[in-house]
Amino acid sequence: MDLRSMEFAHDMKMPIQLIYSCVQLLEMELAPNVRAEGYLQTLMQSAGQLQSMVERALGDGMQQESNPLRLELRDVVAEVRDICRQCDLFAQGKGIEIHFCTNVPELRMLTDVEKLRRMLHNLISNALRFTPEDGYVELACVASAEEVELRVTDSGCGIPTEMQERIFENGVTDGGHGYGLGIVQSYARLLGGDISVQSAPGKGSCFILRLPVMRAPEQIN
């Protein structure tokens, strides 16, 4: 399996987990109600993600994209809040709380929404994987005039110091082989940013995704 195929397979994991969790929750709801409608909405969104990823893979084939970035003017705070809401359904099944916080009500900037979502899904998926029951995951959006930091913090097992220098290499994780963090680093740098980690064994981890605030021409005075 080539690297592109492995990236694609990895990105399929979180939407599939969300669909599975939603189905389980819907089975517990014996009659339609407001909560059930929320689960159905997330189910449809996740199914749409899967369809979009498959169509992109079939369209691109094995060729390198001529324009890898698809920039759109979007409210990053709203996008991050929505991702947190989606992942909360999966976290409920594991007995983990997800918290969202931000220092700004909105942040409209140019970004590649698909890549932004894939990065955060990977980071949250990892956080949930290594966080025990009754733990927590926090997603924070901290913005300044020039940069936005998206911090994913967990109360999990933490990462040994000797592994932290290699954690973003493709195929290397604290628990074996993986490609998620390598994908995140690649996308972050493509968007002009980067990612780092602060962690200690037994004290959880904090992954910090830093992205420059790119303004559309009409936003610049």
Side-chain angles (χ1 to χ4, degrees):
M1 182 181 289
D2 58 87
L3 179 58
R4 184 182 181 85
S5 297
M6 287 185 284
E7 290 180 354
F8 177 73
H10 188 280
D11 288 336
M12 294 283 283
K13 290 168 59 179
M14 176 57 81
I16 291 173
Q17 289 171 337
L18 286 169
I19 291 173
Y20 179 73
S21 296
C22 287
V23 170
Q24 285 186 313
L25 290 167
L26 283 170
E27 289 177 344
M28 297 170 60
E29 302 289 341
L30 300 181
N33 55 38
V34 175
R35 288 178 60 191
E37 290 176 1
Y39 301 149
L40 280 172
Q41 181 183 9
T42 299
L43 182 63
M44 293 300 294
Q45 289 177 341
S46 296
Q49 280 185 275
L50 283 171
Q51 182 179 11
S52 175
M53 290 162 62
V54 170
E55 290 176 349
R56 176 68 57 81
L58 292 174
D60 290 349
M62 297 304 297
Q63 298 179 358
Q64 179 70 29
E65 295 180 356
S66 58
N67 181 15
L69 285 179
R70 295 172 172 82
L71 297 178
E72 304 174 58
L73 183 60
R74 302 292 283 266
D75 180 0
V76 171
V77 174
E79 295 292 336
V80 175
R81 182 183 287 110
D82 186 57
I83 292 169
C84 190
R85 181 190 63 80
Q86 290 184 29
C87 293
D88 183 53
L89 295 175
F90 178 54
Q92 286 180 28
K94 297 193 65 177
I96 299 172
E97 293 187 358
I98 289 187
H99 308 286
F100 171 75
C101 61
T102 178
N103 69 329
V104 292
E106 69 172 31
L107 176 61
R108 293 184 62 79
M109 58 179 269
L110 290 172
T111 190
D112 187 313
V113 179
E114 180 181 344
K115 288 181 173 55
L116 176 67
R117 284 181 167 269
R118 289 171 74 177
M119 287 189 290
L120 290 175
H121 275 305
N122 279 338
L123 292 174
I124 295 173
S125 177
N126 281 347
L128 292 173
R129 176 185 175 190
F130 292 105
T131 299
E133 186 177 357
D134 295 328
Y136 72 88
V137 172
E138 180 181 270
L139 181 54
C141 180
V142 182
S144 65
E146 303 297 329
E147 183 180 71
V148 58
E149 286 188 359
L150 303 175
R151 305 172 184 170
V152 178
T153 305
D154 64 65
S155 60
C157 58
I159 304 169
T161 303
E162 63 273 15
M163 287 296 300
Q164 294 178 29
E165 297 180 358
R166 303 185 57 215
I167 202 72
F168 298 104
E169 297 176 18
N170 279 328
V172 177
T173 71
D174 186 24
H177 282 270
Y179 292 86
L181 292 177
I183 294 171
V184 173
Q185 185 183 66
S186 175
Y187 284 174
R189 291 178 176 176
L190 192 61
L191 286 163
D194 211 339
I195 185 169
S196 60
V197 62
Q198 298 174 352
S199 184
K203 297 184 178 180
S205 302
C206 178
F207 285 87
I208 305 170
L209 176 62
R210 296 181 177 87
L211 299 174
V213 174
M214 294 186 284
R215 306 288 186 183
E218 60 268 25
Q219 292 180 287
I220 302 174
N221 295 326

